[in-house]
Amino acid sequence: MRLDVVSIFPEYLAALDLSLVGKAAKSGLLDVHLHDLREWTYDRHRTVDDTPYGGGAGMVMKPDPWGEALDAVAPAAGPSQPRLIVPTPAGRPFTQELAYELADEPWLAFACGRYEGIDARVAAHAAERMRVDEISVGDYVLNGGEVAVLVIVEAVARLLPGVIGNPASLAEESHSGDGLLEYPVYTKPPSWRGHDVPDVLLSGNHKLVAEWRHDESVRRTAERRPDLLAAWGAAVGHKADEVE
Ligand SMILES: NCc1ccc(-c2ccccc2)nc1
């Protein structure tokens, strides 16, 4: 997979050279290219923003530098086009399902906005030749899209075949297995600062362990994410209906 990231702070994305994503890049599973948006400005101050039409506080990112940056990263006459991801608080939610979908793409490009965002015509124009997804990684406002890109890239890269050691561990994670939150995990020692590992996990009885883990997942989901529990209940209910 090729990844292109355009930002006025490309050094923010240096974290992509670390750990899992860095390993994937070194092993050729990921081909990461970082670009400084100011490379496509030509005035003395390398201006990327201007005042918003219609008034209001803050500044908006100018369309020209973005148009030229995307033309350079993904030439219109090129043999293929990337899927463009624009992190924004106004985007559709980023989910594990979308992470799996993006992991199947051969080429992703990320546009990191700053200020109040990017002139809306940039995404509209890009959509004339590439798929554009405005994506939110959560209901809060950051100072820019870079942190969101780190979230999306990590969630996607770890799904690529060969990137993480044991693909089986992907199946049991929160938000990817049965729709419930993950159960609590423990390791040695069996007793630590007055806190003991639940006896069932030391029993060696795999059936009881599996039952305990499922019950803990349901309990946690009910406590922390009742929305997911409702969806899970409906899904399980449907499955039961199918069986009958
Ligand atoms: N959903 C998280 C998120 C993503 C992007 C931004 C953002 C903030 C300022 C400018 C451009 C993007 N904020 C929050």
Side-chain angles (χ1 to χ4, degrees):
M1 176 187 282
R2 176 171 171 132
L3 296 181
D4 284 275
V5 186
V6 182
S7 165
I8 59 171
F9 295 124
E11 62 278 12
Y12 225 114
L13 283 303
L16 292 180
D17 291 339
L18 303 174
S19 181
L20 167 134
V21 176
K23 196 180 80 169
K26 288 180 185 61
S27 60
L29 288 167
L30 270 182
D31 179 19
V32 182
H33 299 261
L34 304 180
H35 310 272
D36 183 344
L37 179 67
R38 293 191 199 275
E39 194 178 313
W40 292 281
T41 63
Y42 308 102
D43 63 304
R44 195 155 66 92
H45 297 293
R46 318 216 66 181
T47 307
V48 294
D49 63 319
D50 203 336
T51 53
Y53 275 126
M59 301 290 273
V60 172
M61 298 193 98
K62 295 160 56 75
D64 246 351
W66 278 107
E68 292 198 23
L70 293 176
D71 287 348
V73 166
S80 63
Q81 294 293 315
R83 183 165 176 176
L84 180 64
I85 310 294
V86 186
T88 165
R92 73 185 175 111
F94 182 58
T95 61
Q96 191 64 23
E97 184 183 2
L98 182 49
Y100 274 104
E101 189 183 312
L102 296 182
D104 281 341
E105 294 287 348
W107 185 9
L108 295 177
F110 293 88
C112 298
R114 283 261 144 184
Y115 308 102
E116 299 309 306
I118 302 172
D119 184 300
R121 291 169 292 181
V122 171
H125 180 264
E128 291 172 4
R129 74 166 192 272
M130 62 187 87
R131 180 163 178 179
V132 180
D133 294 272
E134 295 191 44
I135 290 177
S136 165
V137 294
D139 292 338
Y140 40 80
V141 183
L142 301 168
N143 287 329
E146 287 81 6
V147 168
V149 169
L150 290 174
V151 167
I152 295 166
V153 169
E154 174 152 328
V156 171
R158 63 193 301 277
L159 301 178
L160 299 178
V163 172
I164 68 166
N166 174 14
S169 63
L170 290 177
E172 290 201 348
E173 294 173 334
S174 292
H175 308 293
S176 69
D178 50 12
L180 293 170
L181 298 182
E182 235 168 17
Y183 46 78
V185 290
Y186 301 83
T187 187
K188 295 185 276 300
S191 188
W192 177 75
R193 296 189 179 186
H195 294 262
D196 298 342
V197 172
D199 290 336
V200 65
L201 299 182
L202 309 176
S203 69
N205 183 322
H206 299 302
K207 183 171 180 298
L208 287 182
V209 168
E211 286 171 2
W212 179 86
R213 284 175 167 173
H214 175 72
D215 293 349
E216 281 297 294
S217 287
V218 172
R219 182 186 59 75
R220 262 184 168 190
T221 309
E223 192 178 285
R224 301 173 184 182
R225 292 294 303 273
D227 58 309
L228 290 181
L229 192 71
W232 172 76
V236 169
H238 288 317
K239 283 187 190 128
D241 291 346
E242 282 160 20
V243 169
E244 281 159 25

